[in-house]
Amino acid sequence: GLCIVDEASQSLEPTTLVALARAGPGVRHLVLVGDHKQLPATVLSNIPEIGVSLFERLIDQGVEPTMLLEQRRMHSLIAEFPSAAFYDGRLVNAVP
């Protein structure tokens, strides 16, 4: 089986684990879709470890994420800044 968690970088570890548990014991693959360079989950706590997503924790432990290189959400002029500032200029604009 397969469990897909969208916006996984904004999903705290317990939330992701609930999704995985609800998917059932037949799950053999977990796909976490998200962007750890965007806004994290909102957490009202002074304990920094609580505000970490499983997605981010795995990346911090050395798991190499697969980056989607094509963006379709922003005008190309707007997309230039995040591409340069956060993604080493690797984002390709699929919109004019």
Side-chain angles (χ1 to χ4, degrees):
L2 173 68
C3 178
I4 300 173
V5 178
D6 194 14
E7 296 296 346
S9 59
Q10 294 184 343
S11 176
L12 298 178
E13 286 177 306
T15 307
T16 302
L17 294 175
V18 166
L20 186 56
R22 292 194 57 145
V27 171
R28 297 288 176 248
H29 302 281
L30 174 63
V31 177
L32 301 175
V33 181
D35 186 347
H36 62 291
K37 296 183 180 184
Q38 291 186 11
L39 292 174
T42 301
V43 177
L44 303 176
S45 173
N46 293 328
I47 304 170
E49 294 82 16
I50 291 177
V52 177
S53 68
L54 179 59
F55 188 89
E56 187 175 359
R57 193 173 302 278
L58 289 170
I59 290 171
D60 290 345
Q61 293 297 313
V63 174
E64 186 67 32
T66 298
M67 180 177 162
L68 301 178
L69 299 175
E70 190 173 276
Q71 78 84 22
R72 297 176 177 267
R73 296 178 128 183
M74 297 174 272
H75 187 281
S76 59
L77 292 176
I78 296 171
E80 286 178 13
F81 170 73
S83 178
F86 301 107
Y87 306 105
D88 298 320
R90 295 185 297 163
L91 284 181
V92 175
N93 288 303
V95 292

